[in-house]
Amino acid sequence: MSDVIISVEHVFKSVTDATGTLEILQDIDFSLRSRETVAIVGASGSGKSTLLSIIAGLDTPSRGTVRLAGQDLFALSEDERAALRAEKLGFVFQSFQLLGNLTALENVMLPLELAGRRQARKLATEMLDRVGLAQRLRAYPKVLSGGEQQRVALARAFVVQPAVLLADEPTGSLDFATGETVMRLMFDLNRELGTTLLLVTHDRAMAERCLRSITIEAGRVVAPAAVD
C-alpha cells in the first residue's frame, strides 16, 4: 500500500542471561497508514513499550525489521537512524523527558534547532501558545505541574510536524482530569497536523479514541492488527 508509513515485519525480540532465554516479542506483524491513530494495548510486561522502542529504532529486534516511510530501519547505521528519527518522528513519554536546565520555550526550540530550522523561537512560541502555555515560556520544568510539563512535551513533539508521533503512556502519570485535557489536546493536534499516531496505553478511553487497537499478550498480537 502506497500510503503505509510504518510496516512492522515479523518482529521477534528475546534476551538471554544466565537463567535462560526470555521471549519478549514473537512474530509481531502489522502496518500503519498515514494519518491513522492506533493504540497498542495490553497488560504490564506484555511487550508494548519494547515494541514501541523497536519501531522508533531505539532498540533492535532479534529477528524481523521495521520500515519507516519505506526505509528499513535496521539496514541503516545508528547515525542514519537518528537522522531519520529527527526527520520523521515525534515522541511523548509518560515521564515527560524535558531537559531541566532549559525553559519551556528552549525545550520546544531544541528539535527545531537540531534540524537546522529557521525561526525556531517563533515556531516554538506559537506551538506553546497552541497548547495553552503562552504565559509559561520562561518557566523551567521544576516549577511546572505534571500537566504543564506534558503539554510542553506535546509542543516539542508536534513543533517539527512529524510524520509519526509515538506516545508511551502519555497520561500515565497524570490525574484523571489533567489526563483528559492532555488526551484531547494530543488528538486535536494530531488531527490538525495530519500526523500518524501510535500510542501505548492502559487507558481504555484513550484507546477507544483511536481508529483501531492492537492487543498484545505475552509478546504476541492477540487481536486483529490488519488494516481494514
Side-chain angles (χ1 to χ4, degrees), residues 178-196:
T178 305
E180 283 285 303
T181 299
V182 167
M183 179 173 68
R184 285 196 301 271
L185 180 59
M186 181 174 65
F187 279 96
D188 286 348
L189 286 168
N190 188 74
R191 185 170 54 252
E192 289 169 19
L193 298 176
T195 303
T196 299

Side-chain angles (χ1 to χ4, degrees), residues 19-215:
T19 63
T21 298
L22 174 64
E23 302 290 344
I24 300 173
L25 297 172
Q26 300 182 63
D27 200 19
I28 305 295
D29 193 86
F30 65 89
S31 60
L32 276 72
R33 290 175 174 163
S34 180
R35 295 176 179 258
E36 259 198 301
T37 55
V38 177
I40 299 175
V41 298
S44 295
S46 60
K48 304 185 305 299
S49 292
T50 298
L51 176 58
L52 202 68
S53 292
I54 289 173
I55 291 170
L58 297 169
D59 195 359
T60 56
S62 303
R63 289 160 51 196
T65 197
V66 174
R67 297 183 191 276
L68 173 59
Q71 294 197 59
D72 183 343
L73 285 181
F74 303 106
L76 303 175
S77 69
E78 286 191 22
D79 287 346
E80 288 169 336
R81 279 202 300 274
L84 186 60
R85 271 196 301 272
E87 179 187 353
K88 299 289 186 184
L89 298 181
F91 298 89
V92 179
F93 302 94
Q94 179 177 346
S95 55
F96 318 132
Q97 299 288 338
L98 301 178
L99 296 177
N101 62 329
L102 300 182
T103 64
L105 179 60
E106 290 166 344
N107 266 284
V108 179
M109 288 173 61
L110 185 60
L112 293 166
E113 292 174 330
L114 291 174
R117 296 277 295 275
R118 303 175 70 177
Q119 296 186 305
R121 181 173 294 272
K122 177 177 182 291
L123 292 171
T125 300
E126 289 172 352
M127 186 56 73
L128 282 166
D129 182 38
R130 173 64 186 83
V131 301
L133 293 176
Q135 307 305 314
R136 305 290 268 161
L137 301 182
R138 293 175 178 79
Y140 288 90
K142 66 181 179 182
V143 300
L144 297 173
S145 69
E148 287 173 330
Q149 289 186 64
Q150 196 60 298
R151 281 188 278 158
V152 174
L154 285 174
R156 180 182 60 187
F158 278 111
V159 75
V160 294
Q161 298 192 5
V164 179
L165 180 72
L166 302 178
D168 192 358
E169 297 286 2
T171 61
S173 61
L174 305 176
D175 64 72
F176 177 78
T178 305
E180 283 285 303
T181 299
V182 167
M183 179 173 68
R184 285 196 301 271
L185 180 59
M186 181 174 65
F187 279 96
D188 286 348
L189 286 168
N190 188 74
R191 185 170 54 252
E192 289 169 19
L193 298 176
T195 303
T196 299
L197 174 63
L198 180 62
L199 61 90
V200 163
T201 185
H202 285 97
D203 185 338
R204 286 288 170 185
M206 181 175 288
E208 287 169 3
R209 291 194 62 154
C210 295
L211 290 175
R212 62 187 172 110
S213 294
I214 296 169
T215 302

